[in-house]
Amino acid sequence: MSIKQLCFDAHAQLRDQHGIAVRRTHLYELLAALLGFNSHAALAANAVIGQVRQAWKFTSDDLSRLSKRCLALGYPTMESQRIAEAITALAETHRLVAVEIKYLVTLVAGNADGWDRDDEEMPDDVGIDQASPWQDVPDLDLDSPLLIDALEQLAAKDHADAHYALALLLQCESPEDRDGHWYRQQLAGRRLDGPEKEWADDYAAALAQFDQYRQHLAAAARLGRSDAALEWAELTGDEADFRHALSLAAPEDATRLLDVADRFGASATMVPLLRQAALAGDVEAMRQLAEDFEPDAVEAWAWVHLAQLCGTDLTRMEAIYEDGSPADDDLPGNIFAVGGIDVPDISAEQQALSRREAARRYEAIRVTER
């Protein structure tokens, strides 16, 4: 199913049942108006049409905006009423909503709770009548073929956010570590049935999904999404991909990129980004700098003291589980020791200097957070 097919059906319905000839391009415009936009171009620039899982009704404001748009396109009053009813019935039957693509990415990534549209830079001519038509979307159907089709159409136009949304929706582990025996037998021409065919088909589907995931992730990285570039570099472990991710990275990406850099001895290139992260309050970046990268012992202790001010004692050993949660003697699981970094001794005067510098940096972090 696609919006194109829905508009085609609405066009046929209006023609056959009511004798009303509506231009198909006008149906796109009217649907966009119902969903909160002044034009279809405005919708297509920033949002996609998706579906919710439960019944969906439009407000009187939505219907008023649709009727006004219909009249503005030159249709007589009686025809406008029929057209508006048909468009509304279509949208409510299929539970259509407009979803801003950047919000969709945060939703699929699991970060929607922190979404604030006011933080996003929107074009002056975005043409949205509603304050935020995508923020109140209840129970969006992320498996909707209509949503996937809309994202694929945008991705075909090199839309980075659409590529990344598709990559997140398709994200999966490589199936190559699984037993692909029956898949290879099928490729070799062996006729399969029963469970063997199911296993072969499941493996083929997993390969296809992983390939699509890689393609969309690579495209989003190429088109400049920093999070996609980081994920792509982690996936490939290629130095060129790491350099590209580094060129786009934000300070909060520093410690993840460091793991990639370690694969080919490029850790030292991470120091500037680690410093930015540490100065923004990233305690793990402070740890890395103090333990591995800071040649000046006074500077190393400044990071240790800054971490202390941020609530973490880097010199104290702690027991944790694999997921980073504190270890509990009453719960089973593999336990690891972290912390307790070894920093060279310095004089009392140097310690006072490092503490003053840490206090200055901590105050800068607090000012930024206010």
Side-chain angles (χ1 to χ4, degrees):
M1 181 171 60
S2 66
I3 291 298
K4 181 178 180 180
Q5 182 62 51
L6 292 181
C7 287
F8 181 87
D9 293 344
H11 180 271
Q13 177 188 346
L14 286 164
R15 179 195 62 208
D16 298 341
Q17 295 184 12
H18 304 292
I20 300 175
V22 182
R23 293 175 58 182
R24 287 198 182 94
T25 54
H26 285 177
L27 291 174
Y28 287 94
E29 294 296 326
L30 295 170
L31 185 56
L34 180 63
L35 296 177
F37 291 80
N38 290 336
S39 69
H40 181 259
L43 186 155
N46 301 282
V48 289
I49 298 177
Q51 296 171 285
V52 291
R53 297 181 186 276
Q54 77 278 28
W56 182 254
K57 291 291 183 180
F58 290 94
T59 68
S60 58
D61 288 341
D62 298 328
L63 302 180
S64 174
R65 184 175 51 254
L66 171 59
S67 295
K68 289 178 181 177
R69 183 69 171 131
C70 203
L71 291 169
L73 289 172
Y75 295 97
T77 302
M78 291 302 296
E79 286 192 0
S80 291
Q81 183 177 346
R82 291 289 189 187
I83 294 169
E85 288 172 354
I87 294 293
T88 303
L90 172 82
E92 290 184 344
T93 298
H94 294 280
R95 308 177 308 282
L96 303 184
V97 293
V99 187
E100 205 271 340
I101 301 171
K102 290 186 183 299
Y103 170 77
L104 178 61
V105 169
T106 65
L107 179 65
V108 179
N111 301 322
D113 289 344
W115 169 262
D116 185 353
R117 179 172 169 260
D118 291 337
D119 291 338
E120 298 296 323
E121 293 185 6
M122 306 293 287
D124 293 336
D125 60 348
V126 65
I128 304 169
D129 282 342
Q130 293 173 313
S132 41
W134 47 76
Q135 285 193 37
D136 300 318
V137 175
D139 198 17
L140 184 68
D141 184 1
L142 295 177
D143 296 321
S144 162
L146 189 148
L147 177 65
I148 301 300
D149 178 75
L151 287 171
E152 287 176 343
Q153 288 189 45
L154 270 183
K157 300 175 183 177
D158 274 350
H159 195 293
D161 294 336
H163 275 296
Y164 192 47
L166 286 166
L168 290 173
L169 289 168
L170 291 163
Q171 191 172 34
C172 59
E173 297 291 333
S174 171
E176 293 179 358
D177 294 334
R178 291 165 41 186
D179 185 0
H181 170 75
W182 294 110
Y183 169 73
R184 290 189 292 272
Q185 290 291 308
Q186 186 167 260
L187 280 184
R190 181 173 174 178
R191 184 173 181 177
L192 304 177
D193 54 24
E196 291 83 3
K197 178 165 177 53
E198 290 183 14
W199 293 332
D201 291 346
D202 286 347
Y203 191 87
L207 278 176
Q209 180 176 337
F210 185 68
D211 183 59
Q212 289 179 332
Y213 159 62
R214 284 177 56 94
Q215 289 182 36
H216 287 297
L217 185 62
R222 171 178 55 82
L223 293 168
R225 272 207 70 114
S226 60
D227 41 11
L230 173 54
E231 190 175 331
W232 180 245
E234 290 174 327
L235 185 65
T236 67
D238 182 83
E239 184 168 2
D241 295 329
F242 161 73
R243 299 289 178 187
H244 178 58
L246 182 59
S247 71
L248 299 171
E252 57 266 27
D253 301 327
T255 52
R256 281 179 63 187
L257 272 172
L258 189 60
D259 292 335
V260 183
D262 281 338
R263 300 182 195 179
F264 34 80
S267 298
T269 63
M270 293 299 303
V271 172
L273 197 60
L274 283 169
R275 287 183 182 277
Q276 291 181 50
L279 290 172
D282 186 331
V283 173
E284 183 56 33
M286 298 174 203
R287 183 196 307 277
Q288 297 282 358
L289 288 167
E291 187 172 31
D292 299 322
F293 296 108
E294 195 59 75
D296 185 336
V298 175
E299 274 292 297
W301 274 105
W303 295 123
V304 171
H305 294 315
L306 179 58
Q308 181 77 52
L309 291 170
C310 291
T312 301
D313 185 356
L314 297 180
T315 64
R316 179 173 176 269
M317 295 287 289
E318 294 182 358
I320 63 169
Y321 291 118
E322 288 180 283
D323 63 359
S325 61
D328 186 330
D329 292 338
D330 296 330
L331 298 176
N334 296 324
I335 297 177
F336 302 87
V338 297
I341 66 173
D342 186 17
V343 185
D345 291 335
I346 56 177
S347 68
E349 182 180 349
Q350 290 174 315
Q351 280 286 11
L353 179 63
S354 67
R355 288 182 185 279
R356 285 196 298 272
E357 178 59 22
R360 185 190 67 78
R361 293 174 185 176
Y362 182 65
E363 184 58 30
I365 292 172
R366 292 183 61 194
V367 168
T368 303
E369 291 176 345
R370 286 173 190 161

